[in-house]
Amino acid sequence: MKNKIIDLFCGCGGLSRGFEEVGFEVALAIDMWQDAIDTYNFNSSQKVAKCLDIHNLTNEMLLDYKESGVIGVIGGPPCQGYSTVGTRDINDPRNHLYKEYCRVVETIRPKFFVIENVKGLLTLSNGMFKNDIIKRFTKLGYKVEFKICNAADYGIPQRRERVFFVGMQNKKFSFPKGSDEIITTKDALSDLSPLTPKNGDSLFSKYFSKPVNDYQKLMRANNGQTVQNHQITHHTAQTIGVISLIPDGGTIKDLPEKYWNIRKYNKAFERMDSNKPSNTVDTGHRNYFHYEQNRIPSVRENCRLQSFPDDFVILGSKTSQYKQVGNAVPPILAKEIAKEIKKQLN
């Protein structure tokens, strides 16, 4: 194998997928969540993902991978401790997993590394974590650059801002410029079948139409005539009635005032705008509704908004599926970063 890499905190494999598409080969991927590992291996011809705590990834194991020619380390340490919608507890143990990531890089000394995380990492504790990441990896001899990348700027139908740290040996990394093309939620989803209580529980769903744009063609490129993970969430009649009052692109403020305090969340009761990219896909999307149908998005629709192709199947319970997709790095964004790394390595 050439261009071998290791994916730490790999989840279901969004970051790996993007790197593989430009010619990198994953030698090892680890995550502590078995559901995500099952999904990763199901969608990969090389079953390299292991359910493993990074603390148990010993230096002896890492030296074997170094000897085998690993040139890159990628991954997104768990982000809940940094998130601006979380507790932002400086002592959250998840906040310090980047130190284990650093240990891996220090042992292998790859040509490059990539860390992805929520942008809240930059400001938590007055930038302490950001500064420590830069300091630690600079000390190892890497030139470290970071940037907040919005997925919508890279041809993905989702406004998702995440910070990427990229370190290279003896070379300053330049981030990809992105695209001027805006992909809307309707662009992404309109060829998927409408879901009703009668047809919405099928494991395999037929397409509603032929692909009507390049993004849909890309998502369907390696898939057959049916798609998986496109099941309805059954809402009560009352909930459907409330959703129906919200217009395309509308918010809770479009509802009668009596509904405003039902949920103490500033993004509650919001409908996709069919003419814009989606809001950030989270681990449930319980407060965000289809631009036309009176329901939350299906797991497959969230996959489309994340840029996972239709032949990528998410395993596990429906709750687990939503979480896996919401935690993932959009493969198209990963691919753009991987493409630049490969170009600049050469």
Side-chain angles (χ1 to χ4, degrees):
M1 285 199 304
K2 296 180 179 179
N3 294 331
K4 289 184 182 180
I5 59 174
I6 289 176
D7 190 348
L8 306 173
F9 315 102
C10 64
C12 68
L15 198 53
S16 285
R17 182 88 175 201
F19 273 77
E20 287 175 329
E21 288 191 5
V22 298
F24 288 96
E25 296 188 54
V26 182
L28 172 69
I30 67 166
D31 198 282
M32 285 184 63
W33 190 17
Q34 187 64 55
D35 282 8
I37 293 298
D38 291 344
T39 294
Y40 188 112
N41 284 331
F42 183 84
N43 291 283
S44 176
S45 59
Q46 306 294 323
K47 314 300 183 186
V48 296
K50 297 180 180 180
C51 190
L52 183 68
D53 186 330
I54 193 172
H55 295 93
N56 296 327
L57 185 59
T58 66
N59 287 353
E60 290 75 20
M61 294 165 67
L62 291 170
L63 287 171
D64 287 339
Y65 284 104
K66 179 179 182 178
E67 289 297 317
S68 74
V70 167
I71 65 165
V73 176
I74 64 176
C79 62
Q80 291 89 341
Y82 305 117
S83 175
T84 54
V85 298
T87 59
R88 289 175 68 77
D89 178 7
I90 190 174
N91 295 313
D92 189 319
R94 294 171 297 191
N95 289 347
H96 301 275
L97 286 171
Y98 72 89
K99 295 176 183 177
E100 285 298 304
Y101 187 115
C102 186
R103 173 180 66 86
V104 173
V105 170
E106 184 175 12
T107 305
I108 294 180
R109 299 288 176 147
K111 293 181 179 179
F112 72 90
F113 71 85
V114 178
I115 294 177
E116 178 266 356
N117 219 292
V118 292
K119 65 179 183 178
L121 178 150
L122 299 178
T123 55
L124 184 62
S125 192
N126 295 316
M128 182 189 80
F129 291 98
K130 175 201 73 176
N131 294 335
D132 194 42
I133 287 172
I134 294 172
K135 178 181 177 182
R136 285 173 183 269
F137 288 100
T138 299
K139 191 175 180 180
L140 295 179
Y142 292 91
K143 293 186 181 296
V144 184
E145 298 296 318
F146 69 90
K147 181 181 179 181
I148 295 175
C149 295
N150 189 331
D153 295 333
Y154 295 87
I156 298 166
Q158 180 190 176
R159 295 185 299 273
R160 183 187 191 91
E161 291 185 317
R162 293 292 185 267
V163 61
F164 286 82
F165 292 83
V166 180
M168 302 186 76
Q169 292 179 349
N170 308 314
K171 190 174 292 188
K172 181 179 177 181
F173 178 70
S174 297
F175 280 87
K177 294 180 180 179
S179 167
D180 293 328
E181 184 180 13
I182 298 297
I183 310 295
T184 70
T185 57
K186 189 172 183 178
D187 290 336
L189 308 180
S190 67
D191 65 322
L192 296 173
S193 290
L195 296 178
T196 68
K198 289 184 177 180
N199 75 355
D201 294 320
S202 175
L203 293 178
F204 296 90
S205 174
K206 293 182 178 180
Y207 289 106
F208 178 64
S209 71
K210 293 181 178 180
V212 297
N213 55 52
D214 289 341
Y215 187 78
Q216 291 177 9
K217 290 176 183 176
L218 179 64
M219 293 296 99
R220 293 167 63 163
N222 298 309
N223 202 45
Q225 299 301 310
T226 61
V227 67
Q228 297 187 56
N229 300 119
H230 189 46
Q231 284 94 33
I232 195 170
T233 294
H234 293 281
H235 302 295
T236 65
Q238 181 181 22
T239 299
I240 293 171
V242 173
I243 298 173
S244 69
L245 299 175
I246 306 170
D248 184 341
T251 69
I252 194 171
K253 295 301 181 183
D254 292 295
L255 292 171
E257 194 170 342
K258 66 180 180 179
Y259 293 106
W260 292 3
N261 292 317
I262 291 179
R263 298 187 188 178
K264 305 294 184 181
Y265 175 54
N266 63 357
K267 289 288 185 180
F269 293 121
E270 198 167 358
R271 194 187 279 276
M272 296 178 189
D273 190 322
S274 62
N275 294 309
K276 295 179 180 179
S278 162
N279 289 351
T280 299
V281 172
D282 62 24
T283 56
H285 252 25
R286 295 287 168 181
N287 296 287
Y288 196 49
F289 310 119
H290 191 278
Y291 58 84
E292 191 172 61
Q293 299 166 53
N294 297 322
R295 58 173 178 80
I296 65 170
S298 69
V299 173
R300 176 52 52 194
E301 287 167 336
N302 279 359
C303 285
R304 281 281 187 95
L305 299 175
Q306 277 276 61
S307 76
F308 279 100
D310 289 355
D311 65 337
F312 194 97
V313 178
I314 312 296
L315 304 182
S317 68
K318 188 185 285 188
T319 298
S320 175
Q321 292 172 20
Y322 276 110
K323 185 176 179 181
Q324 290 176 59
V325 176
N327 282 339
V329 177
I332 285 180
L333 177 53
K335 181 180 180 179
E336 290 301 309
I337 290 174
K339 196 188 302 180
E340 280 301 309
I341 288 174
K342 190 173 184 181
K343 184 195 304 181
Q344 293 173 43
L345 281 176
N346 294 333

